Amino acid sequence: MAQLKKLARFRDVMKEVNAKGAALYKNPVGTEDLVILSPYAINYIHSYAEDSPFFLGLARGKIMGSECKACHYRYATPRSHCMNCGAETEWFTLPNEGRVHSWTTCYYGGEEFLKETPFNLALVEFDGVDTLLLARLKGAKEADMFIGMKVKAVFRRPPRYLVSDVHFVPSEKPRKN
Ligand SMILES: [Zn+2]
């Protein structure tokens, strides 16, 4: 059996365990603790509940927003109740074309997206809609992008029922800034 490394700092123990699968931790209380790598994963059964029409909409090639039944404020990011007056909202279909309201290029991201960096995130605005939708903007380099750029929705096929089922691409030629 290979000799296990004995390490006094726990950060070194973690590094060794990630590389070799096991190490001994010289615990300040005077013990030598065996530390091993133990991967785990779970399947999470997640209900979208009242958000379901948004994800079913993406699967049908439609972006669903919500409109206040009382004051008719229109949300590109759907919500069940109006943030202005508190009344219930109802679903409506957003246009599949909009404009870049603002955007950022991400050079770092969560574990799932790290391998895709750098990528662009845009806040998309739509005619006749009062709030914005955050989505990935593909097919445009940072240097080619500008505020007000026309963009159109592209839907993942087959859908995965995730918010990433929709992204946007430019629908007009890049303009040099
Ligand atoms: Zn309202």
Side-chain angles (χ1 to χ4, degrees), residues 68 70-73 82 84-87:
C68 177
C71 75
H72 301 287
Y73 200 83
C82 181
N84 290 324
C85 73

Side-chain angles (χ1 to χ4, degrees), residues 11-28:
R11 78 180 74 156
D12 296 331
V13 172
M14 290 193 291
K15 203 172 164 190
E16 176 69 7
V17 169
N18 271 318
K20 303 278 172 58
L24 288 169
Y25 173 46
K26 287 164 66 109
N27 195 318

Side-chain angles (χ1 to χ4, degrees), residues 54-68:
F54 177 78
F55 296 93
L56 292 168
L58 297 183
R60 290 183 295 122
K62 292 179 189 304
I63 311 169
M64 304 301 287
S66 56
E67 177 174 339
C68 177

